[in-house]
Amino acid sequence: MLRRMIDVGAVAPTLVARGDGVHVAPRVGPVHYPARGNAGCRSVEDDSFWFSHRNGVIVDAVARAAPAGWLLDVGGGNGAVAAALARAGHEVALLEPGADGVAAALARGLGPVLHATLDDAGLVPGSVPAAGLFDVLEHVEDDVAFLVRLRDALVAGGRVYVTVPAFGWLWSRADEHAGHFRRYTPRSLAAALGAAGLRVERVTCFFSFLVAPVLVGRTLRDRVRPSNPASDDGRDHRPPRWLGPPVAALAAVERAWLARGGALAIGSSVLAVARRV
């Protein structure tokens, strides 16, 4: 893993170095995310087809539209995406408000880790070469204002890479439990990025093969018999063994198409790449 090559003091001078690669904000404000959300993800993300495919799609997108320098993974949770990007050769810093996520990121060998929210980090304007928002924006009530604050931290020409859940008609109690304010369409995500002063370079859906399972297994099921996502044992991330090979094959086909710059009109997630102009 890449560690401590980033001058955190030049980017976030109000953060205090803890001595173990973590830089802590004087105040870490609340976020709209379950208190045990990072712990729940940690229990499944290393052997989940969902996290594996999302990581691969993100790594390919970053390779295709290269960052101007190191990348700040904003709201990076346990560091699953940051670790995948670091293995691909990118220099990554993690910004995470949750103590569980900070500890998990350190255990992965990641660093530096900024223990803060975006608002509390005190990022110097024009200091961040690139940023990632991987399933973060849906947790923010005023997404455009949040994107404006992130845009201001980017260098001129700096890129932001974004993933979000797709399509309001896939809304279920799982979204409510996760602390989502909304799901996006490719058009609505591009509109939010544009309203924040970012030039959209690419937008596409992904997880096309999950639309029907999510619609039937979550959205429509909840209309008949409301579920309790808090009691989920990770079964959505660990399908029956017999489904493993076909799911892997579908994911491989989709990833290959997207890696070549292809786009998909349907999927349970949306990916976008935008640039500060």
Side-chain angles (χ1 to χ4, degrees):
M1 296 294 179
L2 295 162
R3 294 181 61 87
R4 298 176 180 84
M5 297 175 65
I6 299 161
D7 185 357
V8 174
V11 175
T14 63
L15 302 190
V16 177
R18 203 170 72 182
D20 58 354
V22 177
H23 301 256
V24 185
R27 171 188 179 275
V28 181
V31 293
H32 202 252
Y33 189 69
R36 297 293 294 165
N38 284 332
C41 287
R42 189 74 179 95
S43 68
V44 299
E45 61 194 0
D46 286 342
D47 60 355
S48 160
F49 78 92
W50 190 93
F51 283 96
S52 176
H53 184 57
R54 184 185 66 155
N55 287 352
V57 169
I58 291 169
V59 167
D60 293 342
V62 175
R64 189 169 184 85
W70 61 271
L71 184 147
L72 180 65
D73 185 359
V74 177
N78 301 313
V81 178
L85 289 168
R87 287 192 296 270
H90 299 284
E91 191 177 357
V92 186
L94 186 82
L95 190 153
E96 169 56 38
D100 287 345
V102 169
L106 284 180
R108 291 185 191 274
L110 293 166
V113 177
L114 285 59
H115 186 185
T117 66
L118 178 64
D119 288 339
D120 297 330
L123 299 175
V124 173
S127 65
V128 177
L133 292 172
F134 305 120
D135 291 86
V136 169
L137 201 57
E138 65 273 17
H139 296 275
V140 181
E141 188 167 13
D142 191 339
D143 53 353
V144 173
F146 184 87
L147 287 167
V148 167
R149 294 193 291 276
L150 182 59
R151 179 210 64 198
D152 289 346
L154 290 172
V155 301
R159 284 190 167 105
V160 59
Y161 310 85
V162 185
T163 61
V164 291
F167 299 112
W169 45 267
L170 289 178
W171 185 270
S172 71
R173 292 191 66 173
D175 291 285
E176 297 171 11
H177 175 68
H180 296 173
F181 284 102
R182 69 196 72 79
R183 298 177 73 96
Y184 290 82
T185 65
R187 180 175 294 180
S188 68
L189 179 56
L193 291 163
L198 294 158
R199 179 183 295 165
V200 177
E201 298 181 318
R202 182 186 186 192
V203 62
T204 179
C205 291
F206 66 111
F207 281 121
S208 56
F209 53 92
L210 288 187
V211 171
V214 171
L215 179 62
V216 174
R218 287 185 177 176
T219 307
L220 297 180
R221 179 195 64 185
D222 283 349
R223 294 180 182 178
V224 176
R225 186 182 63 185
S227 62
N228 179 16
S231 65
D232 179 37
D233 60 3
R235 67 176 66 91
D236 286 353
H237 289 274
R238 299 187 183 101
R241 183 169 297 181
W242 65 269
L243 269 178
V247 168
L250 290 169
V253 170
E254 179 179 275
R255 181 177 175 183
W257 171 249
L258 295 174
R260 292 195 296 270
L264 296 168
I266 195 74
S268 63
S269 291
V270 185
L271 165 79
V273 181
R275 181 193 288 268
R276 178 177 180 175
V277 294

